[in-house]
């Protein structure tokens, strides 16, 4: 029987998310970026998807990852662009430009925080946005993305 090609999603984390675990634990919890990436890989696998996880503190590198996702035919993107969510027209334009189904995630409830976090350029480019679920937001985002791109839950049998 022909082997089906594994579909890839990109999970992109932006500036300062490499500090998860030690960064403002009252706001972001104690889980590390490695914990987040494992959660994403495991969740994606439940839908027959491979999560390719990247983190960068540089706006342009995040734009490059989005372009690369397009070049590689990636099926979907989950992005937590950190503070760039609130400032980056370049990230907005990259997501709109590649037309890859994208979900925005924030660990914290940005609407319960400072007003400068209430606007997101990446949310405008994404088909959905989640915030306030802690790192479980990544699991929820991948679950919603899988439904959107019609990736089916894998039976464990
Ligand atoms: C964040 C929220 C942003 O406002 C902040 O700049 C971050 C993290 C979150 O996951 O809650 O870096 O994206």
């Amino acid at each position: 029987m022909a082997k089906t090609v594994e579909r890839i999603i990109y999970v992109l984390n932006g500036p300062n998310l490499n500090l998860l675990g030690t960064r403002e634990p009252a706001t972001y919890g104690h889980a590390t970026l490695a914990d987040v990436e494992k959660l994403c890989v495991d969740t994606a696998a439940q839908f027959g998807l491979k999560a390719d996880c990247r983190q960068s503190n540089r706006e342009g590198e995040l734009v490059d990852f989005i372009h690369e996702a397009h070049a590689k035919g990636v099926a979907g993107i989950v992005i937590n662009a950190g503070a760039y969510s609130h400032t980056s027209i370049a990230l907005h334009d990259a997501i709109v430009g590649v037309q890859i189904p994208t979900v925005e995630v924030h660990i914290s409830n940005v609407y319960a925080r400072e007003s400068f976090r209430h606007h997101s350029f990446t949310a405008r480019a994404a088909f959905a946005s989640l915030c306030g679920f802690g790192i479980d937001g990544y699991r929820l985002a991948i679950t919603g993305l899988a439904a959107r791109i019609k990736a089916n839950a894998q039976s464990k049998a």
Side-chain angles (χ1 to χ4, degrees):
M1 203 166 69
K3 195 174 180 297
T4 44
V5 179
E6 200 170 27
R7 294 166 85 195
I8 296 171
I9 61 168
Y10 271 17
V11 177
L12 303 180
N13 280 294
N16 301 308
L17 291 162
N18 54 313
L19 299 180
L20 284 177
T22 56
R23 175 192 184 197
E24 299 175 76
T27 302
Y28 299 114
H30 293 279
T32 64
L33 181 61
D35 296 330
V36 168
E37 293 185 342
K38 182 178 185 319
L39 173 65
C40 292
V41 168
D42 291 350
T43 305
Q46 289 167 17
F47 296 98
L49 299 167
K50 181 179 185 308
D52 187 335
C53 303
R54 314 282 178 91
Q55 187 274 332
S56 178
N57 293 321
R58 287 175 288 283
E59 184 179 13
E61 190 168 25
L62 292 164
V63 170
D64 288 343
F65 289 155
I66 294 166
H67 294 177
E68 182 189 292
H70 181 246
K72 289 190 173 164
V74 161
I77 296 173
V78 170
I79 186 166
N80 180 351
Y84 289 141
S85 317
H86 316 301
T87 62
S88 179
I89 298 171
L91 283 173
H92 168 280
D93 287 356
I95 295 165
V96 170
V98 299
Q99 290 288 296
I100 297 172
T102 297
V103 185
E104 178 194 68
V105 178
H106 294 289
I107 295 167
S108 64
N109 179 356
V110 288
Y111 299 104
R113 302 181 64 194
E114 303 93 330
S115 59
F116 60 79
R117 299 183 202 276
H118 296 179
H119 177 267
S120 167
F121 287 102
T122 46
R124 197 183 158 96
F127 77 82
S129 178
L130 291 173
C131 73
F133 287 102
I135 69 161
D136 201 39
Y138 290 86
R139 184 185 64 78
L140 296 167
I142 291 171
T143 302
L145 178 62
R148 179 71 165 224
I149 65 175
K150 298 188 170 46
N152 296 317
Q154 306 285 294
S155 86
K156 292 209 175 86

